[in-house]
Amino acid sequence: MTATEPDMQKPITVAITGASGVQYALRLLQCLVAAKRDVYVLISKAAQVVMATETTLKVPGTPEKMQAYLTDAFAAQPNQIKVFGREQWFAPVASGSGRNGPMVVCPCSTGTLSAIATGASNNLIERAADVALKEKRDLILVVRESPYSAVHLENMLKLARLGVTIMPASPGFYHDPKSINDLVDFMVARILSHLQIEQTLVPFWGE
């Protein structure tokens, strides 16, 4: 899938699931806000548990309070970040007729991967991904698991054949990282490039 020019003006959906690596999603949100892009945020219950485990952030549980918290944390403009609940079916991302741009699931648990591959649509994250698929919009899955089972690989292959970008959370080391943040930035830079958003986090290869 290739983003069209009108899509670049539409909100980007960032879905955060319960896999390890919530740091990728938080840094991505920070960069999207800095790039002056509107962002729809979907956070699973498992992701909230992981966030509390892997960071020192005290993110509130309700979508309204979470939206206010993230807006303040990333110095976003009012309503630049919009957070939707897991069963908020009237959210723009729940329908193909909504004003939606690309979607990134970051990190993407293998459970969410399976649900997307089978069209489960049991919650808003799964439904939003299903909408992205049927509307042929850019969908990036930052899958985080190790090792991958044959089931995981089959699900990734199925979705890749449908045009989904499978981008495992596998940071490179050729940019001589000095910290964990450098490794996080490597992955976020790759995501931004696929979203056709200028990034200065990591030098481009050969430059």
Side-chain angles (χ1 to χ4, degrees):
M1 300 178 188
T2 303
T4 61
E5 191 63 31
D7 282 340
M8 299 308 293
Q9 306 305 320
K10 295 176 180 177
I12 294 172
T13 300
V14 176
I16 309 172
T17 70
S20 180
V22 69
Q23 293 84 354
Y24 294 120
L26 296 172
R27 181 64 164 140
L28 177 61
L29 283 175
Q30 183 181 35
C31 291
L32 291 175
V33 167
K36 302 187 183 333
R37 295 301 300 268
D38 290 341
V39 189
Y40 294 153
V41 178
L42 317 176
I43 304 181
S44 72
K45 288 183 178 179
Q48 290 179 259
V49 174
V50 173
M51 196 177 297
T53 303
E54 294 186 344
T55 76
T56 58
L57 299 178
K58 305 296 182 184
V59 181
T62 65
E64 296 80 9
K65 292 181 179 179
M66 193 180 300
Q67 179 172 312
Y69 180 92
L70 293 175
T71 296
D72 182 65
F74 296 123
Q77 295 298 311
N79 292 318
Q80 186 179 4
I81 295 175
K82 293 185 179 179
V83 179
F84 299 102
R86 58 179 280 113
E87 294 183 343
Q88 201 165 336
W89 303 117
F90 284 100
V93 295
S95 173
S97 59
R99 191 174 73 91
N100 305 311
M103 178 175 181
V104 183
V105 185
C106 176
C108 180
S109 67
T110 51
T112 301
L113 170 72
S114 173
I116 295 171
T118 57
S121 296
N122 288 320
N123 57 54
L124 189 60
I125 291 177
E126 295 169 11
R127 172 57 183 168
D130 194 50
V131 168
L133 275 174
K134 77 183 185 71
E135 299 295 328
K136 297 185 173 11
R137 297 185 179 125
D138 282 349
L139 176 58
I140 300 172
L141 305 184
V142 184
V143 185
R144 220 304 306 173
E145 187 60 272
S146 183
Y148 293 127
S149 73
V151 173
H152 304 150
L153 294 169
E154 287 171 357
N155 285 333
M156 284 188 273
L157 178 59
K158 178 180 180 179
L159 289 171
R161 285 174 170 163
L162 293 173
V164 176
T165 298
I166 306 297
M167 191 182 296
S170 305
F173 288 82
Y174 53 78
H175 63 304
D176 192 24
K178 299 294 193 300
S179 67
I180 295 296
N181 289 338
D182 289 342
L183 295 175
V184 170
D185 279 355
F186 179 93
M187 283 306 307
V188 173
R190 298 291 289 133
I191 298 168
L192 292 172
S193 291
H194 277 261
L195 292 173
Q196 299 181 34
I197 295 175
E198 287 294 323
Q199 64 85 19
T200 58
L201 301 178
V202 176
F204 290 99
W205 183 262
E207 295 182 6

